[in-house]
Amino acid sequence: MYNFTCMKFFIDTANLEEIREANELGILDGVTTNPSLMAKDNVTGEENIKQRYLDICEIVDGDVSAEVIATDLKGMIREGEALANLHPGVVVKIPMIKDGIKAIKYFTDNRIRTNCTLVFSPGQAILAAKAGATYVSPFLGRLDDISHDGLALIEELRTIYDNYHFETQILAASIRHPMHIVECAKIGADVATCPLKPIMQLLKHPLTDRGLAQFLEDYRKGSNP
Ligand code: G3P
C-alpha cells in the first residue's frame, strides 16, 4: 500500500560522481542502474559490474537495484542470489517476462527484494505485484516517447495497488525532466528514480535567483551605507 511517510528519491545512474553529488544533498534514498547505464559509464564485465555495485553501496545508505542479465529462470535465480549476497542494500532487478515473474515469486518466497523492470502496462504491474515484487518500475518517459501518456500509467498503478493494498512500491522510472517528478509526487508514486539533471533542476526558479541577488545587494548596502 502507498507509503504515506515520504516519497523516495533514487538516482538513475552508474556514475559514482553523480551518485556522490546527489547523496551530498542529503535527500537520496537509493540508486537504480541497468546494463545500458553501466555500459555508458564504461563498466563492463561481470567482476567490474559487481565491484561497481559494491562501490555504489559504500556511498549510498539505501536500496541499490542490480539487474540480472539472464532471461531464463535458473539463470536469473543464480545471478540474483549472487547479487543479493553482495550487500544488504542490493535489490535484484528482474525484467518483466514470463520467467521474470517466476523469478520474482522465487525471490519473494526467499525474502530477497526485487524490482520488476521494463513495465509499460497495468497488466504487467498486476503480475509483478501478485508475484510479490518489492518495486515495480513503469518507464514513463519511454511511453511518452511513443505518444502514450506515461503519467497516466502511474495513476492507473496507484489506483490498482491501492484497491488491493498491494505492498509493491511504484518506482517511477525513465523520468526525463523535473515536471515528471512533480507530477509523480502529485499522483503518489512511492519512488521517483531520475538522472542527476532533473533532480538539480528542481532547485531552480528565476525568482529565487533574483530575490537572493536583491537580498545580498541590500545587505551590502546596509553594511556599507
Ligand atoms: O530506470 C529506467 C531508466 O534507466 C530508463 O530511462 O531514459 O533510458 O528511458 P531512459
Side-chain angles (χ1 to χ4, degrees):
M1 193 180 174
Y2 175 57
N3 172 0
F4 287 96
T5 53
C6 190
M7 181 191 199
K8 291 192 238 176
F9 263 36
F10 290 177
I11 187 166
D12 194 32
T13 183
N15 182 277
L16 297 179
E17 282 315 303
E18 290 182 359
I19 292 169
R20 277 194 199 97
E21 189 174 342
N23 196 47
E24 280 165 10
L25 274 180
I27 51 90
L28 197 63
D29 302 296
V31 179
T32 50
T33 61
N34 61 41
S36 304
L37 292 171
M38 284 288 176
K40 188 174 163 197
D41 214 50
N42 297 316
V43 186
T44 55
E46 205 178 318
E47 288 314 309
N48 290 333
I49 289 173
K50 278 186 183 164
Q51 185 54 51
R52 179 56 58 100
Y53 288 135
L54 287 170
D55 293 343
I56 293 171
C57 290
E58 279 294 301
I59 299 171
V60 178
D61 180 16
D63 289 349
V64 175
S65 286
E67 187 156 344
V68 299
I69 302 301
T71 53
D72 63 295
L73 180 60
K74 267 191 181 171
M76 281 190 266
I77 289 174
R78 189 182 61 249
E79 283 182 26
E81 284 179 335
L83 290 168
N85 282 333
L86 282 177
H87 191 280
V90 166
V91 176
V92 180
K93 204 170 179 187
I94 304 280
M96 166 43 75
I97 53 176
K98 190 159 119 186
D99 273 8
I101 291 298
K102 294 180 191 174
I104 290 169
K105 180 70 173 81
Y106 170 88
F107 288 126
T108 303
D109 291 344
N110 287 278
R111 296 170 184 270
I112 290 174
R113 295 177 307 144
T114 52
N115 173 358
C116 183
T117 190
L118 290 166
V119 167
F120 293 94
S121 77
Q124 292 178 323
I126 290 171
L127 287 177
K130 287 286 291 176
T134 314
Y135 296 104
V136 65
S137 290
F139 278 30
L140 69 97
R142 290 192 193 184
L143 280 170
D144 288 355
D145 289 345
I146 58 158
S147 304
H148 282 248
D149 187 348
L151 286 165
L153 175 61
I154 309 287
E155 276 187 75
E156 287 179 291
L157 301 199
R158 183 72 281 150
T159 302
I160 292 166
Y161 283 8
D162 285 354
N163 280 348
Y164 296 102
H165 305 307
F166 279 124
E167 287 181 5
T168 300
Q169 296 176 53
I170 301 170
L171 194 169
S174 184
I175 282 177
R176 303 284 168 74
H177 52 74
M179 284 315 290
H180 269 157
I181 304 174
V182 172
E183 291 302 324
C184 282
K186 283 157 73 175
I187 293 165
D190 302 287
V191 190
T193 188
C194 358
L196 183 62
K197 191 174 166 195
I199 297 176
M200 291 304 179
Q201 283 172 321
L202 288 175
L203 285 165
K204 294 290 174 195
H205 198 288
L207 292 180
T208 304
D209 297 342
R210 205 187 303 166
L212 183 60
Q214 184 73 56
F215 286 158
L216 295 179
E217 191 187 326
D218 289 345
Y219 172 80
R220 273 191 295 270
K221 276 189 210 153
S223 301
N224 305 297

